[in-house]
Amino acid sequence: MFRNYLTIAFRNLLRHKTFSLITIFGLAVGLASCLLLLLYISQEASYDTFHTKADRIARVTMEYSMDGQVGQYGVTGTKVVPDFGRSFPEVESGVRMLAGQAVVSNKSIRFREKRFVYADSAFFHLFSFPLLKGDPAKALAAPNQLVLSASTARKYFGDRNPVGQTLRIGLDKDFMVTGVVADCPPNSQIKYDLLASFTSLDDAKTEQWWSANYASYLLLRTPASIRSLEAKIPAYMRTKSAETEMTGKNYLTYFLEPMPGVHLHSAVSGVFEPAGNVTYIYIFGAIALLILVIACVNYINLASARAVERAQEVGVRKVMGALPRQLFGQFMGESSLVTFTALLIGGLLSYLLLPVFNSLTDRQFSAAVWLDPRTIMIVLAVGTLVSLIAGSYPALILTRYKPVQVLKGHLKGHSASRFRQSLIVFQFAITAFLIVSTVMVKRQLSFIQQKKLGYNKEHVLILPANRQVNGQISAVKQQLTQLSGVKHVSFVYESPTFVNGGYGMRRFDMPENTYRMITGLPVDEDFVKTTGLQIVAGSDLTEQDMIRANDPKGDTLNSYRFILNEAAVKDFGWKTPQEAIGKRVDMGGNRKGEVKAVVANFHFASMRQKISPIVLFTEYGGGSMLVKLAGNDITGTIRQIEGTWKKLAPNYPFEYQFMDQEFNKLYAGETRTGQLFTVFAGLSILLACLGLFGLSAFTTAQRTKEIGIRKVLGASIPGLIFLLTKDFLKLVLIAILIASPLAWYAMNKWLDDFAYKVSVEWWVFALTALLAVGIAFLTVSFQSLKAAWMNPVRSLRSE
Amino acid sequence: MIKTVNLQKLFATEEVETTALNGISMDVQDGEFVAIMGPSGCGKSTLLNILGLLDNPSGGEYHFYGTEVSKMSERQRAQLRKGSIGFVFQSFNLIDELTVYENVELPLLYLKTPADERKVRVEETLTRMNIMHRRNHFPQQLSGGQQQRTAIARAVVAKPKLILADEPTGNLDSANGEEVMKLLNQLNDEGTTIIMVTHSPYDAGFAHRIVNLFDGKVVTENFHV
């Protein structure tokens, strides 16, 4: 009997190729999308779960309040870990880490290492990174020790054993390699290529509450003590107010975040890679589900529509004595066959598309995950679920047919058609929703791209400054500006696309120790010219200003010159930019001087945030070098800059980045979302249209006789097409009406994250409607045209 | 073996109620060949469906081999029908996706007949119906007569005691029709009870008895021989 079912299922699939192609291909694409998105979601959700002690590890975040302004950071000073270890019995151990970059060399092999991390010796006690060579207890115990990741070890030492060898860090520090650790897995928030012992740092010698640059992790004795310890911290920190100099209403305190939740759920960014966002997990999960639902709907719709055709078979089987249970089993078996064929194709498809998906998501997923028994179980469960959902409705309809009715008269599929119509509405509502979302995400992204930033990010190179370059600033500037393609060179602490530095500042006429929080950026006299900031009052910095500020013998009460933005002017209470010029200010007690200029507000952070006060001040930051190019022959100019660089800083690799690239990185998440939306919205449109195509083919075939009669009676071809398409178009329009308010709400919610954003306008919905109706019309009219052009004699004979 | 008492069948739509059968009482003995005749719409097929346990009457009694079946559920009727009744339809009702062999095999599958026995019986029946050479063809590849022979093969393969035929020659030319009637006659000679609905007086001539229906009632019964 089973063979008989299988035979008939196969022959049915082969005989109705369009139907089979649409359902199997649709389901395959749906399942492939699901598999790929599942990869993404499962990796995001599995972040840091591989640490065996993950449930006892907590990241320490810092919060302080100064004169009513509250700041939260994912970093702390050096004191938190050792002090909490001594003061709280709940704490078993802890690790401090400093993440940065370093130029590392083994004789002539030299690289700038972007994932260079200093870590306390308990690192391997807390975290489950397997040490392949070396002793986990001693590898980071003494100063100037270094543990390499396996691939970094190969980079510098080939196949030789690196343990016991030395590597040079920067210009003159030698570190001994004491271990090799496995490359960190992609689902780890802590990312490193080299681990250096924390004791190598000068800062490690003192314990400080402030100078918060360090990631701090605590290992607690029990998982429950994370919360109980956290509750004790505010009171404890108040006892330290003399040390922290946070008295009165001002405070400094800490929070503990369970490690596995940091990646997706923390609102505070740390020193490692940018955190994930749980919202996007929900969004992608929903998209995967929606696409699968669309594919299922295709199957349900087509199979239940075709049920009429198979009524005769059901009738015969019933007459032969088939029980409803047996028939239900037969049709469920058929849907399983379809689903699992689709699953196989979908699996292959997702395997082939993995590289594309990787570049789309900027991740490195490997197909090995799918071979994991747990994944296979999940996939099989999904397959079973899909065949159950997609198969049960058609199976139910078929089983319910009464043999007498089926074998005698003609069956009209009216009872099920209302259901099919609702499914089409549902499908197109999803599609319309995705189209609206795609258009809105794209609009917001192009808005960000095109918004006037207040500075010019075009043709600006960012190079990492280093000791050799910082030691000869004027020579570097002079030699580079001599090149015809270079307009300006500026030394700055960091690029203006995203300024991190936080400072306190007060007007001289404000009481001491009443600092306002302000973002700050050390710049030189060429910064405004290089970045094209617009001065609205006062005048630009000069070389003289730089000399005065950096003169150790100068007037410490008035050596600095400051440039404020308009937001800072307002924050300090001056009525106009002009009023601020020449006013004396004090930054943190150690930088004093006067406001020399005010620049128009510019975006030094993501557009998610409103522009806040910022101060530029005369100090050589030594972090980056900005080079403004003339814009013609960029490759030639870069080659010339490289030549000059090699002469001036022979010990450092020549690396650069364009400022607009760096800017785009700020919106990498959104860009990725936009691309994923486009791809999956496209897919859902394709699938929905395939379903519509199949269904319209079916209904048109059912109406062949009607069309013949109408033609004989003189109906025109456009009239017939209208007749055949109008029912479907009506459904699509209803779908758009349902989807529009939902999409409007969802997109407004998404845009709420941005301080600077486009508005959701009516024409987006009109465009979506036009698009959806247009596509649906094309799909359906293909079938209608075929029917309308048919010779009526043929269509009448077909009954 | 078959006995009906005052069978009633009503079809009700929203507007009208039609009486298809109005008090039919009849007996059919083992080994009998009965033809049911009458004008279109007189209730012939309705009666056949009820006799074939495909449908329930609205009233009256139906004793099938001594069992009162008129109140049975579809499920119980399916169990009873399996293997004891064979059906032959005017439009053949073969399953297009199955070959001649597989179509004929179908009733045995539902009877859970073992595979080797199935093979013997299907081949035996196909040979008898003179359709063995077409065993691997699909229904659309056959002539009408061949299709109906396949349908008869399917009806008899499970060796039912009763065959119900609904205008078995209605879609056939006279030569093929003659052949089908001879087959039915032969089956009857071997002891199978046959009830046949027909329009054709010639076909009815093969039967032992003709029951004439009009407006859902038995009007006359003619006995041959």
Side-chain angles (χ1 to χ4, degrees):
Chain A
M1 184 53 82
F2 181 73
R3 228 191 52 208
N4 182 277
Y5 291 164
L6 208 64
T7 316
I8 210 157
F10 263 119
R11 287 186 191 151
N12 254 313
L13 285 180
L14 287 178
R15 195 127 89 88
H16 304 277
K17 292 197 181 65
T18 320
F19 163 80
S20 314
L21 211 70
I22 291 175
T23 42
I24 295 182
F25 173 77
L27 278 173
V29 169
L31 286 165
S33 319
C34 259
L35 284 178
L36 289 172
L37 287 170
L38 264 179
L39 268 188
Y40 184 87
I41 295 168
S42 72
Q43 189 185 80
E44 285 288 300
S46 71
Y47 251 74
D48 296 317
T49 48
F50 61 90
H51 296 296
T52 50
K53 297 170 189 160
D55 60 336
R56 290 196 287 135
I57 302 175
R59 181 175 81 154
V60 186
T61 63
M62 172 174 93
E63 179 178 296
Y64 66 85
S65 170
M66 211 184 264
D67 301 326
Q69 292 173 295
V70 177
Q72 279 187 328
Y73 302 88
V75 286
T76 74
T78 50
K79 188 160 186 172
V80 172
V81 168
D83 187 272
F84 282 17
R86 289 187 297 267
S87 311
F88 297 109
E90 294 93 328
V91 178
E92 181 183 315
S93 181
V95 169
R96 296 166 295 180
M97 283 174 274
L98 179 67
Q101 304 192 356
V103 172
V104 177
S105 48
N106 177 17
K107 300 188 185 76
S108 63
I109 307 170
R110 179 178 300 131
F111 295 99
R112 171 174 293 277
E113 293 294 350
K114 299 207 168 77
R115 306 201 299 188
F116 191 98
V117 175
Y118 290 93
D120 271 322
S121 59
F123 185 85
F124 294 107
H125 176 59
L126 259 72
F127 306 121
S128 307
F129 296 111
L131 200 61
L132 307 175
K133 290 194 172 83
D135 179 349
K138 293 181 190 154
L140 295 171
N144 300 336
Q145 288 183 332
L146 197 59
V147 172
L148 308 179
S149 74
S151 50
T152 309
R154 262 195 306 283
K155 197 161 79 173
Y156 289 98
F157 296 103
D159 292 333
R160 284 176 296 140
N161 183 2
V163 175
Q165 310 279 338
T166 56
L167 280 178
R168 177 150 295 185
I169 310 301
L171 281 185
D172 46 19
K173 275 195 201 146
D174 285 332
F175 278 60
M176 192 207 279
V177 179
T178 51
V180 176
V181 62
D183 286 355
C184 42
N187 59 347
S188 168
Q189 46 155 316
I190 299 171
K191 293 258 165 66
Y192 56 82
D193 291 317
L194 299 94
L195 292 165
S197 50
F198 199 78
T199 45
S200 320
L201 290 167
D202 287 341
D203 289 347
K205 295 181 181 101
T206 55
E207 289 181 4
Q208 288 192 32
W209 291 111
W210 293 105
S211 292
N213 296 314
Y214 307 91
S216 294
Y217 287 82
L218 296 176
L219 174 66
L220 304 190
R221 296 200 191 278
T222 63
S225 48
I226 294 182
R227 285 287 153 254
S228 60
L229 174 61
E230 189 181 52
K232 292 185 194 167
I233 295 174
Y236 175 76
M237 287 311 294
R238 267 193 296 282
T239 67
K240 301 280 176 187
S241 62
E243 273 179 55
T244 60
E245 297 174 1
M246 295 298 260
T247 51
K249 282 188 177 163
N250 293 345
Y251 64 81
L252 168 66
T253 189
Y254 300 94
F255 294 97
L256 303 180
E257 297 177 328
M259 185 157 192
V262 172
H263 175 71
L264 281 183
H265 299 285
S266 177
V268 183
S269 60
V271 299
F272 297 104
E273 58 174 23
N277 188 334
V278 76
T279 315
Y280 285 120
I281 298 298
Y282 293 142
I283 290 177
F284 290 147
I287 290 179
L289 201 69
L290 289 183
I291 288 194
L292 197 61
V293 166
I294 290 181
C296 283
V297 164
N298 277 352
Y299 183 83
I300 295 173
N301 258 348
L302 290 177
S304 64
R306 278 208 42 235
V308 181
E309 286 178 12
R310 299 195 61 181
Q312 186 226 20
E313 178 193 334
V314 175
V316 171
R317 283 183 186 273
K318 282 200 164 181
V319 168
M320 304 284 146
L323 298 172
R325 172 170 47 82
Q326 285 172 310
L327 285 168
F328 190 78
Q330 179 190 347
F331 292 113
M332 283 312 295
E334 273 183 36
S335 90
S336 312
L337 180 75
V338 168
T339 310
F340 281 91
T341 311
L343 195 62
L344 227 66
I345 298 173
L348 192 71
L349 211 62
S350 52
Y351 177 75
L352 294 175
L353 289 175
L354 196 57
V356 182
F357 186 71
N358 277 343
S359 78
L360 203 62
T361 52
D362 196 23
R363 297 290 175 92
Q364 284 306 315
F365 298 109
S366 95
V369 185
W370 287 323
L371 298 179
D372 182 61
R374 223 178 37 190
T375 318
I376 292 174
M377 289 293 283
I378 292 175
V379 169
L380 288 181
V382 168
T384 312
L385 201 71
V386 167
S387 46
L388 271 175
I389 292 172
S392 56
Y393 181 70
L396 213 65
I397 293 191
L398 282 164
T399 315
R400 268 200 313 230
Y401 283 147
K402 289 241 175 2
V404 181
Q405 296 167 345
V406 193
L407 293 177
K408 270 288 173 192
H410 291 284
L411 260 197
K412 289 271 185 275
H414 278 308
S415 62
S417 74
R418 183 58 50 84
F419 180 73
R420 282 201 291 278
Q421 287 175 344
S422 338
L423 286 181
I424 291 180
V425 169
F426 179 64
Q427 255 185 336
F428 269 85
I430 295 174
T431 306
F433 181 89
L434 287 177
I435 296 178
V436 171
S437 309
T438 309
V439 173
M440 287 312 301
V441 172
K442 294 255 159 194
R443 280 193 70 216
Q444 173 67 12
L445 283 174
S446 82
F447 169 80
I448 290 171
Q449 285 296 329
Q450 279 153 24
K451 183 163 190 335
K452 294 237 180 317
L453 297 172
Y455 63 90
N456 189 347
K457 64 183 189 317
E458 308 301 323
H459 309 315
V460 181
L461 285 184
I462 304 172
L463 297 101
N466 53 58
R467 273 167 63 189
Q468 279 180 322
V469 173
N470 284 336
Q472 43 185 336
I473 287 173
S474 49
V476 172
K477 282 192 172 187
Q478 196 215 339
Q479 290 198 24
L480 286 179
T481 44
Q482 269 173 11
L483 302 173
S484 62
V486 174
K487 282 167 96 175
H488 306 287
V489 176
S490 170
F491 279 77
V492 60
Y493 181 70
E494 59 193 338
S495 146
T497 52
F498 198 88
V499 182
N500 283 304
Y503 298 86
M505 196 174 203
R506 67 176 184 96
R507 293 179 356 206
F508 256 43
D509 51 9
M510 281 159 55
E512 282 197 39
N513 281 331
T514 54
Y515 293 102
R516 308 280 309 156
M517 276 202 247
I518 190 165
T519 306
L521 180 65
V523 299
D524 68 4
E525 75 276 16
D526 292 307
F527 179 75
V528 171
K529 288 193 279 288
T530 307
T531 53
L533 288 178
Q534 189 202 343
I535 293 180
V536 292
S539 55
D540 198 358
L541 301 175
T542 61
E543 204 178 344
Q544 208 49 48
D545 295 330
M546 294 303 294
I547 293 169
R548 188 187 319 108
N550 294 286
D551 178 6
K553 284 176 259 156
D555 171 14
T556 52
L557 283 177
N558 191 12
S559 57
Y560 273 77
R561 290 296 174 266
F562 300 96
I563 298 179
L564 300 177
N565 69 348
E566 290 165 312
V569 169
K570 210 169 144 199
D571 190 55
F572 281 113
W574 289 303
K575 291 197 178 57
T576 62
Q578 208 54 51
E579 199 187 323
I581 305 301
K583 293 290 181 334
R584 298 282 294 277
V585 287
D586 157 21
M587 213 168 109
N590 51 358
R591 296 178 182 94
K592 292 169 183 158
E594 50 192 63
V595 178
K596 188 160 185 214
V598 173
V599 289
N601 280 339
F602 64 101
H603 288 278
F604 58 86
S606 155
M607 298 223 187
R608 283 176 214 99
Q609 290 137 32
K610 270 212 118 43
I611 295 177
S612 58
I614 186 172
V615 58
L616 313 175
F617 56 96
T618 46
E619 201 170 284
Y620 286 113
S624 300
M625 200 170 98
L626 308 180
V627 180
K628 173 79 178 176
L629 307 182
N632 43 6
D633 187 22
I634 289 175
T635 29
T637 309
I638 291 177
R639 212 173 305 122
Q640 289 175 322
I641 296 173
E642 183 175 7
T644 311
W645 178 275
K646 291 242 162 91
K647 272 185 277 166
L648 292 167
N651 292 339
Y652 290 91
F654 176 72
E655 288 165 324
Y656 65 89
Q657 199 180 19
F658 282 99
M659 196 184 274
D660 46 1
Q661 287 172 343
E662 199 186 63
F663 174 81
N664 288 340
K665 275 191 200 160
L666 285 179
Y667 305 101
E670 282 76 12
T671 311
R672 227 173 14 237
T673 315
Q675 284 168 338
L676 279 173
F677 257 115
T678 314
V679 169
F680 289 108
L683 270 181
S684 76
I685 294 171
L686 178 79
L687 290 182
C689 283
L690 272 179
L692 204 56
F693 181 83
L695 207 57
S696 65
F698 175 78
T699 47
T700 309
Q702 275 204 320
R703 295 173 77 174
T704 314
K705 187 175 175 189
E706 179 196 340
I707 295 164
I709 295 170
R710 282 176 188 271
K711 270 189 100 170
V712 169
L713 296 179
S716 67
I717 288 183
L720 283 174
I721 291 176
F722 177 72
L723 175 83
L724 291 168
T725 48
K726 74 168 196 295
D727 290 344
F728 285 111
L729 295 188
K730 216 163 57 192
L731 299 179
V732 173
L733 278 173
I734 294 173
I736 292 164
L737 281 181
I738 294 173
S740 293
L742 294 174
W744 183 85
Y745 175 78
M747 287 332 287
N748 271 318
K749 263 251 159 322
W750 180 73
L751 286 170
D752 273 352
D753 268 359
F754 292 89
Y756 302 91
K757 61 195 171 194
V758 293
S759 53
V760 187
E761 285 171 280
W762 67 268
W763 64 260
V764 175
F765 298 98
L767 180 79
T768 305
L770 213 64
L771 214 67
V773 170
I775 294 171
F777 178 77
L778 284 179
T779 313
V780 177
S781 61
F782 177 80
Q783 295 294 345
S784 315
L785 260 181
K786 238 171 54 180
W789 276 334
M790 197 192 269
N791 184 340
V793 176
R794 266 189 64 199
S795 45
L796 283 178
R797 203 191 291 141
S798 80
E799 270 293 292
Chain B
M1 69 177 282
I2 284 180
K3 181 182 172 66
T4 70
V5 182
N6 198 21
L7 269 190
Q8 305 276 339
K9 183 68 181 177
L10 298 175
F11 290 112
T13 61
E14 276 169 32
E15 288 109 30
V16 273
E17 200 172 76
T18 327
T19 308
L21 299 179
N22 192 4
I24 304 248
S25 302
M26 64 185 281
D27 289 328
V28 177
Q29 301 306 319
D30 253 352
E32 229 188 329
F33 189 156
V34 178
I36 300 173
M37 293 190 77
S40 290
C42 71
K44 301 184 297 286
S45 296
T46 308
L47 177 60
L48 202 68
N49 287 334
I50 292 174
L51 294 181
L53 300 172
L54 293 176
D55 208 353
N56 269 343
S58 318
E61 294 168 20
Y62 176 20
H63 300 277
F64 184 79
Y65 282 89
T67 316
E68 161 62 22
V69 295
S70 62
K71 303 284 185 309
M72 278 187 170
S73 69
E74 158 67 20
R75 199 190 159 75
Q76 288 168 310
R77 280 185 278 130
Q79 284 293 0
L80 202 56
R81 166 165 93 217
K82 216 162 35 172
S84 52
I85 306 177
F87 289 86
V88 178
F89 302 94
Q90 176 179 359
S91 52
F92 323 133
N93 278 324
L94 298 171
I95 297 179
D96 290 344
E97 281 77 18
L98 297 178
T99 62
V100 165
Y101 184 95
E102 289 159 348
N103 263 294
V104 174
E105 188 188 23
L106 204 57
L108 299 182
L109 286 173
Y110 281 112
L111 283 170
K112 299 200 168 70
T113 311
D116 39 357
E117 192 190 332
R118 232 164 42 218
K119 188 163 180 291
V120 173
R121 284 182 51 188
V122 171
E123 285 179 356
E124 192 185 282
T125 315
L126 288 175
T127 312
R128 216 173 129 202
M129 297 296 147
N130 194 22
I131 195 87
M132 188 65 181
H133 60 297
R134 294 283 185 165
R135 52 180 295 181
N136 291 323
H137 286 66
F138 286 95
Q140 305 96 304
Q141 300 167 314
L142 304 178
S143 73
Q146 288 169 332
Q147 290 193 41
Q148 194 60 301
R149 292 213 302 273
T150 309
I152 296 175
R154 187 179 61 185
V156 302
V157 72
K159 302 206 168 120
K161 294 187 201 108
L162 173 65
I163 287 183
L164 298 175
D166 193 353
E167 305 212 26
T169 62
N171 277 4
L172 300 175
D173 57 41
S174 54
N176 276 313
E178 175 80 24
E179 201 182 338
V180 164
M181 283 319 297
K182 280 184 177 154
L183 272 174
L184 289 177
N185 205 30
Q186 195 187 333
L187 288 168
N188 179 243
D189 287 345
E190 289 159 15
T192 314
T193 311
I194 295 179
I195 301 175
M196 173 179 75
V197 162
T198 183
H199 269 123
S200 149
Y202 177 80
D203 290 354
F206 285 87
H208 305 152
R209 177 159 59 114
I210 300 172
V211 175
N212 284 301
L213 288 194
F214 189 78
D215 275 357
K217 286 183 186 149
V218 179
V219 284
T220 51
E221 288 191 52
N222 313 324
F223 290 87
H224 298 265
V225 187

